[in-house]
């Protein structure tokens, strides 16, 4: 079983600290990326690690890990090559690009080359129809690709190179990308300074400039700070806020003494209890909507903790069902709003008679023909 490094555990604690204490399970998605950054996929050990640090069971973690395609469930190559084969890219040649790569690399969908460098997959959509056909390498775009251009990219990757994407930052390995998806900055020098925008994107920008459309106060030249710079700015802001806090108030006044020196009564004998607002609004709402026998909800007006009761008799259930049917007349288009009560009764009578196709009333000649 994999033993995760102390750095990974420290990062896990940092991720969990981003969320309120009563909603720590929201950290599961970045935590799955974090364990993938160490192993190259989400292994059973990674599932167990996430469950352990969040206080969940492995089934809950596994349900999330198997839902999203970005979490790989088996070892993946250094470079995940995804080719869009959805409608627009397919019409423009995306399937031909995928088939050419599959034949050249000797692998199929979600398979990895023998040298562990390339994992190939077809993607349903990469959200870049105006650049189709498109291919991504670890989620960075290569636009308007053709079969020969795609072959050139993968061969450069296998030779140890890192071809420049059409848009976005310089390439990194899948493990390095998983660290970023977990919420940590790319610390490589000038890693985000290499890529350029695509022409369709620039066209939108030019139109905005032409028509004077902009976000008030937005400065397009604002640099993207590194993690170290951001941490430094946050620390300075915190220190400034601490310095601006008012001095602590004087100690609370001593309780009023009675004539005999004892504390005077306050007029209340109620025990000290936590205020309802001590709970987060989300917890209070959940308890109000769906209380259970183990959840006390004194702060939810009108809500009672359910208790086990005797199940209603069959006759009572039938009466309640009939009352409900009577209170719901047929819809305006002539279709019944629910099952017709007479048909239900005939079915019950038929079942009671052993399924011979007649009801007791039919046998006497007074019943209604089915």
């Amino acid at each position: 079983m994999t033993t995760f490094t102390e750095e990974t555990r420290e990062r896990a604690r940092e991720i969990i600290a981003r969320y309120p204490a009563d909603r720590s399970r929201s950290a599961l998605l970045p935590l799955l990326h974090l364990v993938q950054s160490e192993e190259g996929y989400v292994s059973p050990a990674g599932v167990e690690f996430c469950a352990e640090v969040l206080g969940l069971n492995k089934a809950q973690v596994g349900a999330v890990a198997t839902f999203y395609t970005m979490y790989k469930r088996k070892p993946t190559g250094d470079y995940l090559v995804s080719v869009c084969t959805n409608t627009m890219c397919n019409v423009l040649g995306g399937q031909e690009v995928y088939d050419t790569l599959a034949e050249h690399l000797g692998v199929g969908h979600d398979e990895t080359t023998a040298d562990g460098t390339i994992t190939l997959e077809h993607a349903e959509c990469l959200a870049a129809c105006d650049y189709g056909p498109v291919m991504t390498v670890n989620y960075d775009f290569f636009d308007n690709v053709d079969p020969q251009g795609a072959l050139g990219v993968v061969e450069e990757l296998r030779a140890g190179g890192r071809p420049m994407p059409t848009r976005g930052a310089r390439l990194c390995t899948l493990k390095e990308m998983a660290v970023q998806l977990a919420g940590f900055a790319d610390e490589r020098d000038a890693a985000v300074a290499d890529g350029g925008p695509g022409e369709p994107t620039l066209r939108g920008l030019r139109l905005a400039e032409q028509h004077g459309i902009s976000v008030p106060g937005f400065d397009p030249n604002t640099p993207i700070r590194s993690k170290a710079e951001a941490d430094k700015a946050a620390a300075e802001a915190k220190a400034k806020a601490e310095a601006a806090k008012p001095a602590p108030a004087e100690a609370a006044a001593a309780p009023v003494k009675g004539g005999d020196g004892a504390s005077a009564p306050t007029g209340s004998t109620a025990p000290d209890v936590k205020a309802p607002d001590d709970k987060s609004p989300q917890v209070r709402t959940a308890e109000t909507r769906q209380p259970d026998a183990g959840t006390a909800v004194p702060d939810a007006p009108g809500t009672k903790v359910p208790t086990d009761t005797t199940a209603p008799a069959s006759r009572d259930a039938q009466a309640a069902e009939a009352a409900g049917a009577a209170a719901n007349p047929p819809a305006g288009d002539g279709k019944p709003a629910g099952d017709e009560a007479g048909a239900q009764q005939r079915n019950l009578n038929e079942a009671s008679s052993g399924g011979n196709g007649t009801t007791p009333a039919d046998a006497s000649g007074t019943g209604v023909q089915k």
Side-chain angles (χ1 to χ4, degrees), residues 70-334:
M70 292 179 76
Y71 301 124
K72 305 305 177 185
R73 301 311 307 277
K74 60 183 181 181
T76 305
D78 293 332
Y79 298 100
L80 175 67
V81 176
S82 310
V83 182
C84 181
T85 56
N86 212 335
T87 306
M88 181 63 74
C89 285
N90 205 349
V91 169
L92 296 172
Q95 187 65 49
E96 184 181 356
V97 172
Y98 174 82
D99 292 342
T100 300
L101 289 179
E103 181 179 358
H104 178 76
L105 297 172
V107 297
H109 170 66
D110 201 25
E111 294 181 351
T112 304
T113 55
D115 60 6
T117 303
I118 306 289
T119 295
L120 179 66
E121 68 174 7
H122 72 77
E124 284 300 318
C125 183
L126 295 175
C129 299
D130 46 353
Y131 295 98
V134 293
M135 176 180 80
T136 62
V137 178
N138 293 342
Y139 311 115
D140 280 323
F141 281 96
F142 289 82
D143 302 323
N144 305 117
V145 293
D146 56 29
Q148 292 306 311
L151 286 176
V153 170
V154 298
E155 281 306 302
E156 187 173 346
L157 291 171
R158 298 181 79 180
R162 296 197 181 189
M164 190 63 206
T166 308
R167 293 174 288 129
R170 68 177 65 167
L171 284 183
C172 58
T173 65
L174 184 66
K175 290 182 178 181
E176 292 169 336
M177 177 58 69
V179 173
Q180 297 171 47
L181 292 172
F184 298 93
D186 188 344
E187 296 295 343
R188 294 177 299 165
D189 184 38
V192 297
D194 290 339
E199 276 302 313
T201 304
L202 290 176
R203 176 60 179 156
L205 178 60
R206 294 188 185 106
L207 284 172
E209 292 176 343
Q210 177 183 343
H211 295 283
I213 302 171
S214 64
V215 178
F218 173 68
D219 180 7
N221 297 316
T222 301
I224 299 176
R225 296 182 297 187
S226 68
K227 182 177 184 299
E229 293 171 335
D231 290 344
K232 180 180 178 181
E236 291 174 351
K238 183 177 180 180
K240 185 176 180 180
E242 290 290 339
K245 283 184 179 180
E250 296 295 329
V256 179
K257 299 291 184 178
D260 58 356
S263 298
T266 62
S268 173
T269 60
D272 291 336
V273 296
K274 290 185 177 180
D277 287 339
D278 185 69
K279 298 178 181 177
S280 72
Q282 290 78 9
V283 172
R284 295 179 63 203
T285 300
E287 291 180 347
T288 301
R289 289 178 178 172
Q290 193 175 8
D292 55 57
T295 304
V297 285
D299 57 320
T303 302
K304 295 181 180 179
V305 177
T307 57
D308 294 334
T309 57
T310 305
S314 176
R315 186 180 307 168
D316 296 335
Q318 291 181 355
E321 184 177 349
N328 290 275
D333 60 359

Side-chain angles (χ1 to χ4, degrees), residues 15-32 50-51 53-64 71:
I15 290 172
I16 295 171
R18 299 171 188 166
Y19 301 88
D22 58 346
R23 281 174 280 174
S24 61
R25 67 185 302 163
S26 298
L28 178 55
L29 296 181
L31 280 174
L32 286 168
C50 293
V53 298
L54 290 177
L56 303 176
N57 60 53
K58 290 185 287 187
Q60 291 172 308
V61 176
V64 175
Y71 301 124

